Amino acid sequence: MDVLLTGGSGQVGTELRGLAWPDGVTLHAPGRNELDLADPGSVARTVASRRFDAVISSGAYTAVDKAEGDVATAWAVNALAPAILAAETAKAGIPLVHVSTDYVFPGDKDGAYREDDPVGPRNVYGASKEGGEQAVRTANPRHAILRTAWVVSPHGANFVKTMLRLARDRDEIRVVADQHGCPTFAVDLARAIQHVTLALARDGNAPAGTFHLVNDGEATWAGFAEAIFAASAARGGPSARVVPITTADYPTPARRPANSRLATNRIGEAYGLRPRPWRAALDETVAALL
Ligand SMILES: NC(=O)c1ccc[n+]([C@@H]2O[C@H](COP(=O)([O-])OP(=O)(O)OC[C@H]3O[C@@H](n4cnc5c(N)ncnc54)[C@H](OP(=O)(O)O)[C@@H]3O)[C@@H](O)[C@H]2O)c1
């Protein structure tokens, strides 16, 4: 079995490449020099370059603030590229597993978002990812759209790395305390993506559709920072005092949803996947980074 992975150098892609894949399964992860997601021709050529059995679409324009001023590239990478992947995989009769985001939601719900809740992105990144979702749904019925959130790992740019870096120089760090979400460890997401991809590739009747996949539990950024510093301090690493601030105190080019918590019941029922609590996963990543 040959599986094509986009975004193989990202946080999630790196974990997917690091997993043990069953004998007979080869993961192909072309870099940006071979596969440019902003170039429709490059995307189509790559899918057609061999007889793949499944495609995992994890590559994305993830710079949420930068996207506000770079709408065309964000839409090319986050909406048009998934549209082409969906069309090409449908033509080849193979499944597409596409990673999407909590930022498709507006953030004004009281409670965790379910898969069928109405979307309403508040920024360019979220809108472009929502465009990608629609294209995937429309073009290839054999798809799984896995929405995730607040992804962290020992690789790439993420909140855990930023907090540990800042704490090396500062005693006190101001962190937003009025945005609520679900921290997610890339390795747990990668295991789930692998499971769903193999199921869809092996069984034409495996559950398709949109699923939420985040670690169990919720946090604010300030609460997440406190947990990171507690885990770090317990290992003799840097820590700082967290000063809770509001979103209004920390203006950014892109608006963010105040609540982007995701309910994960559906993937539990469909695939038996129940990711561990984020607090249980945190120490592993902090340890790797120290
Ligand atoms: N990070 C989060 O907090 C978060 C939250 C919700 C959903 N998600 C979704 O989860 C998925 C994986 O995110 P991640 O955290 O692994 O992202 P990431 O670490 O930012 O990695 C993004 C990946 O996309 C690739 N990429 C971007 N533009 C490209 C282009 N024009 N051509 C080819 N490759 C390109 C990058 O390649 P280079 O290394 O060459 O730049 C990299 O491999 C994405 O679909 C994202 O939207 C992420």
Side-chain angles (χ1 to χ4, degrees):
M1 188 187 290
D2 290 288
V3 178
L4 173 66
L5 167 67
T6 73
S9 58
Q11 295 192 81
V12 177
T14 301
E15 297 293 354
L16 275 164
R17 288 187 296 110
L19 292 180
W21 287 78
D23 282 350
V25 179
T26 306
L27 189 66
H28 302 261
R32 191 190 279 253
N33 54 336
E34 291 169 79
L35 165 60
D36 180 1
L37 293 171
D39 172 0
S42 169
V43 179
R45 273 195 305 279
T46 303
V47 184
S49 64
R50 68 159 65 225
R51 286 176 64 92
F52 289 109
D53 298 283
V55 174
I56 301 171
S57 159
S58 182
Y61 188 115
T62 55
V64 175
D65 287 314
K66 199 171 157 216
E68 295 295 303
D70 195 4
V71 178
T73 318
W75 274 82
V77 174
N78 292 346
L80 186 54
I84 295 164
L85 290 175
E88 294 297 323
T89 51
K91 218 190 293 174
I94 61 173
L96 173 62
V97 176
H98 177 65
V99 186
S100 191
T101 174
D102 53 337
Y103 281 14
V104 298
F105 290 117
D108 51 7
K109 181 176 174 177
D110 187 14
Y113 279 97
R114 304 179 64 87
E115 286 81 353
D116 299 335
D117 280 327
V119 295
R122 289 284 190 255
N123 55 46
V124 169
Y125 166 76
S128 63
K129 291 289 292 184
E130 206 253 315
E133 286 192 2
Q134 282 193 35
V136 169
R137 257 180 229 119
T138 314
N140 186 350
R142 272 182 85 191
H143 70 264
I145 294 170
L146 299 181
R147 289 193 190 124
T148 191
W150 295 27
V151 177
V152 297
S153 76
H155 332 278
N158 64 68
F159 188 73
V160 179
K161 279 177 93 168
T162 304
M163 287 300 112
L164 293 178
R165 176 171 45 78
L166 292 177
R168 291 186 201 280
D169 304 325
R170 299 188 200 172
D171 299 330
E172 207 174 84
I173 301 175
R174 288 154 46 88
V175 190
V176 170
D178 59 359
Q179 288 171 26
H180 301 259
C182 299
T184 302
F185 289 79
V187 64
D188 293 345
L189 178 58
R191 287 192 191 111
I193 292 171
Q194 181 188 54
H195 182 94
V196 171
T197 304
L198 293 174
L200 283 167
R202 286 171 174 157
D203 175 3
N205 294 318
T210 302
F211 304 93
H212 291 170
L213 201 290
V214 288
N215 277 110
D216 193 36
E218 58 179 82
T220 65
W221 291 113
F224 192 14
E226 278 169 354
I228 292 164
F229 294 142
S232 173
R235 293 183 164 271
S239 72
R241 197 166 70 79
V242 174
V243 179
I245 61 168
T246 65
T247 301
D249 294 328
Y250 187 72
T252 52
R255 288 172 68 197
R256 276 138 171 100
N259 167 36
S260 63
R261 289 174 291 147
L262 302 178
T264 55
N265 316 48
R266 183 180 280 180
I267 198 144
E269 285 153 19
Y271 282 102
L273 294 171
R274 291 185 177 76
R276 61 187 163 161
W278 68 262
R279 286 181 188 276
L282 176 61
D283 188 56
E284 245 171 60
T285 294
V286 169
L289 284 166
L290 293 178

